[in-house]
């Protein structure tokens, strides 16, 4: 459950960042119950180290480069970007400490100033594009944040699969985008990774981090729910899906799955068409499950068992027990999903997404 707590703590830490919101004490992270999870709590008016770096007024430590030198001399230097680990905290600062103790955490007031500074935000956008290129991804629109595969995606995806510490870097990047004014970019990047991991199956070693961390870095709740439904539609076997309430997903995801049949992430057109020729519609099982839940002829538990038997006919014995024993192990994140009755005892009912167990709030 570490991932769930970490991502919820992050989302709570970036509330009310703009001046129009109620004023909070400078440099204070207003969620005391999350202390001890890497977030700082201070009342001292520190200098704006990160904002100064992004305006070219100071240099990173220990690499001793300015933001402009970094963009000019490090772009495309893939070996250096892979090997050096001290720059990522300067390029994508957060309110939590990283592995470079000579970098500085963001303060609340610094975040507010950064979000209003066009020079700093323009340089952050260039840093984002530089790292996307490192991962084999290209930014299609600097207005919407849409992304697609870069020309060298196969080589870069191979590196991403081999060097899984980049999953931590991408989590940091997503958090930073949400903190410093590019929250509308988050959903596009996460949906791209869901497509590559669950549909195209090109990034198997990124899959767990996408589900445990990337999705839940997205600040917009409606976008987060949509991503969960997308993941549910394409996750196999569905009975082992633990990142959202299955009773609700079975009832609501059929439309999402059907629409996903016609919505192809840019850069995947030919592969998606070929895949559809080889496999039946991904929405058929979900739609069948949804009809069985709403036909009113069986009890809710027997309908759920029937749906699971359809998804995995070789596992009828397990399904007949009425329990989902799916367990997922992630980067310090373990969740086990039991019967619907157990879920309700934990405070989750069929009308409510907003429960900590599923990391939605």
């Amino acid at each position: 459950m570490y991932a769930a707590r970490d991502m919820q703590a992050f989302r709570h830490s970036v509330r009310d960042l703009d001046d129009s919101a109620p004023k909070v004490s400078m440099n204070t992270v207003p969620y005391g119950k999350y202390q001890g999870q890497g977030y700082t709590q201070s009342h001292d008016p520190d200098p704006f180290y990160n904002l100064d770096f992004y305006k070219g007024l100071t240099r990173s430590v220990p690499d001793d480069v300015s933001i402009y030198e970094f963009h000019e001399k490090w772009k495309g230097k893939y070996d250096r970007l892979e090997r050096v680990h001290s720059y990522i905290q300067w390029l994508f600062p957060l309110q939590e400490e990283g592995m470079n103790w000579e970098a500085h955490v963001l303060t609340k007031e610094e975040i507010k100033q950064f979000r209003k500074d066009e020079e700093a935000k323009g340089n952050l956008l260039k840093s984002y594009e530089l790292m996307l290129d490192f991962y084999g991804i290209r930014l299609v629109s600097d207005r919407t944040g849409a992304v697609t595969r870069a020309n060298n995606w196969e080589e870069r995806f191979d590196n991403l699969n081999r060097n899984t510490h980049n999953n931590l870097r991408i989590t940091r990047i997503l958090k930073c985008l949400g903190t410093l004014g590019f929250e509308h970019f988050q959903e596009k990047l996460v949906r791209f990774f869901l497509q590559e991991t669950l549909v195209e199956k090109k990034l198997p070693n990124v899959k767990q981090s996408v589900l445990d961390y990337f999705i839940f870095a997205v600040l917009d709740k409606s976008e987060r729910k949509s991503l969960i439904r997308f993941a549910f539609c394409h996750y196999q076997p569905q009975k082992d899906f633990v990142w959202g309430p299955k009773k609700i997903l079975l009832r609501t995801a059929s439309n999402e799955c059907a629409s996903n049949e016609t919505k192809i992430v840019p850069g995947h057109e030919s592969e998606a068409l070929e895949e559809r020729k080889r496999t039946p519609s991904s929405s058929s099982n979900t739609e069948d499950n949804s009809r069985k839940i709403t036909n009113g002829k069986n009890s809710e538990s027997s309908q759920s068992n029937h749906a699971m038997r359809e998804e995995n006919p070789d596992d009828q014995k397990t399904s007949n027990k009425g329990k989902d024993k799916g367990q997922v192990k992630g980067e310090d994140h373990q969740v086990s999903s039991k019967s619907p009755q157990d879920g309700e005892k934990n405070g989750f009912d069929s009308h409510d997404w907003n429960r900590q167990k599923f990391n939605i709030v």
Side-chain angles (χ1 to χ4, degrees):
M1 293 298 290
Y2 173 79
R5 291 194 299 269
D6 175 56
M7 301 316 293
Q8 188 182 54
F10 159 70
R11 293 195 303 272
H12 284 220
S13 75
V14 294
R15 290 176 174 176
D16 302 333
L17 292 178
D18 296 313
D19 284 338
S20 58
K23 189 79 171 177
V24 297
S25 299
M26 185 182 296
N27 303 333
T28 301
V29 179
Y31 51 102
K33 63 180 179 179
Y34 297 117
Q35 290 182 14
Q37 296 184 22
Y39 292 84
T40 61
Q41 198 165 27
S42 169
H43 296 276
D44 297 327
D46 295 326
F48 295 163
Y49 295 108
N50 300 290
L51 182 58
D52 286 348
F53 172 71
Y54 260 101
K55 291 175 71 67
L57 301 177
T58 189
R59 303 170 73 83
S60 67
V61 182
D63 302 309
D64 192 33
V65 293
S66 72
I67 188 63
Y68 297 106
E69 291 171 343
F70 190 89
H71 292 159
E72 179 183 353
K73 297 180 180 179
W74 287 54
K75 185 171 184 179
K77 306 297 184 182
Y78 298 144
D79 289 342
R80 182 188 299 176
L81 291 169
E82 182 60 55
R83 175 173 43 84
V84 179
H85 300 283
S86 52
Y87 66 88
I88 198 73
Q89 293 83 9
W90 285 94
L91 287 193
F92 301 99
L94 299 175
Q95 296 177 84
E96 53 190 290
E97 295 176 343
M99 296 304 295
N100 180 1
W101 306 114
E102 296 182 275
H104 301 274
V105 297
L106 287 166
T107 66
K108 289 291 184 184
E109 192 62 30
E110 184 177 27
I111 293 170
K112 291 182 180 181
Q113 296 302 319
F114 198 112
R115 290 168 67 93
K116 296 186 296 184
D117 193 298
E118 293 304 319
E119 179 185 6
K121 291 178 67 176
N123 282 329
L124 178 59
L125 181 60
K126 291 179 180 178
S127 296
Y128 181 53
E129 290 186 88
L130 185 149
M131 292 305 296
L132 288 179
D133 174 70
F134 174 59
Y135 296 130
I137 307 171
R138 179 173 61 85
L139 183 66
V140 175
S141 170
D142 59 8
R143 181 179 61 85
T144 66
V147 295
T148 188
R149 288 175 176 175
N151 292 334
N152 61 344
W153 68 271
E154 291 181 281
E155 170 204 339
R156 302 316 306 155
F157 278 23
D158 179 65
N159 181 77
L160 195 50
N161 272 317
R162 285 186 288 107
N163 296 283
T164 56
H165 69 92
N166 283 293
N167 297 343
L168 301 174
R169 290 177 171 181
I170 295 170
T171 301
R172 171 176 278 270
I173 290 170
L174 285 165
K175 287 180 175 181
C176 183
L177 291 175
T179 303
L180 295 179
F182 290 92
E183 48 267 55
H184 56 295
F185 279 24
Q186 292 179 304
E187 187 269 347
K188 302 296 190 301
L189 183 60
V190 175
R191 191 174 291 269
F192 175 88
F193 277 115
L194 284 172
Q195 178 82 16
E196 293 293 353
T197 55
L198 298 183
V199 182
E200 308 300 335
K201 305 187 189 309
K202 300 296 185 183
L203 293 169
N205 292 337
V206 184
K207 174 182 172 181
Q208 197 69 48
S209 290
V210 177
L211 293 167
D212 285 348
Y213 290 90
F214 296 3
I215 290 177
F216 299 105
V218 176
L219 297 180
D220 187 283
K221 186 181 292 187
S222 64
E223 291 180 344
R224 205 159 62 241
K225 290 181 180 180
S226 178
L227 291 168
I228 292 170
R229 289 192 293 268
F230 182 93
F232 178 74
C233 289
H234 297 287
Y235 187 86
Q236 295 297 327
Q238 273 188 349
K239 70 183 184 65
D240 290 343
F241 190 86
V242 297
W243 294 273
K246 280 193 286 292
K247 287 197 296 182
I248 297 177
L249 288 168
L250 284 168
R251 189 171 65 246
T252 63
S254 58
N255 290 337
E256 186 89 11
C257 294
S259 65
N260 285 334
E261 288 299 301
T262 57
K263 286 195 306 184
I264 303 174
V265 175
H268 302 86
E269 291 85 351
S270 60
E271 292 184 30
L273 293 174
E274 287 299 318
E275 182 67 20
R276 287 177 193 173
K277 292 177 183 177
R278 295 193 297 269
T279 60
S281 170
S282 64
S283 64
S284 59
N285 286 341
T286 307
E287 290 171 347
D288 289 343
N289 294 339
S290 181
R291 280 197 294 273
K292 287 178 174 57
I293 287 176
T294 58
N295 65 14
K297 295 180 180 179
N298 300 309
S299 68
E300 186 168 333
S301 61
S302 65
Q303 293 161 3
S304 176
N305 294 338
H306 193 180
M308 286 190 288
R309 285 199 298 273
E310 287 191 348
E311 292 162 9
N312 192 352
D314 296 328
D315 197 21
Q316 292 186 17
K317 184 175 181 180
T318 302
S319 299
N320 287 336
K321 294 180 181 179
K323 292 187 178 182
D324 176 4
K325 295 185 179 180
Q327 187 176 46
V328 175
K329 295 181 180 180
E331 302 165 318
D332 304 320
H333 184 207
Q334 298 183 24
V335 181
S336 59
S337 178
K338 299 184 180 179
S339 67
Q341 290 78 13
D342 290 331
E344 289 163 3
K345 288 177 184 177
N346 285 330
F348 198 105
D349 58 57
S350 61
H351 302 290
D352 190 3
W353 281 79
N354 303 323
R355 297 300 179 198
Q356 181 175 346
K357 179 180 179 182
F358 294 102
N359 206 354
I360 306 298
V361 296

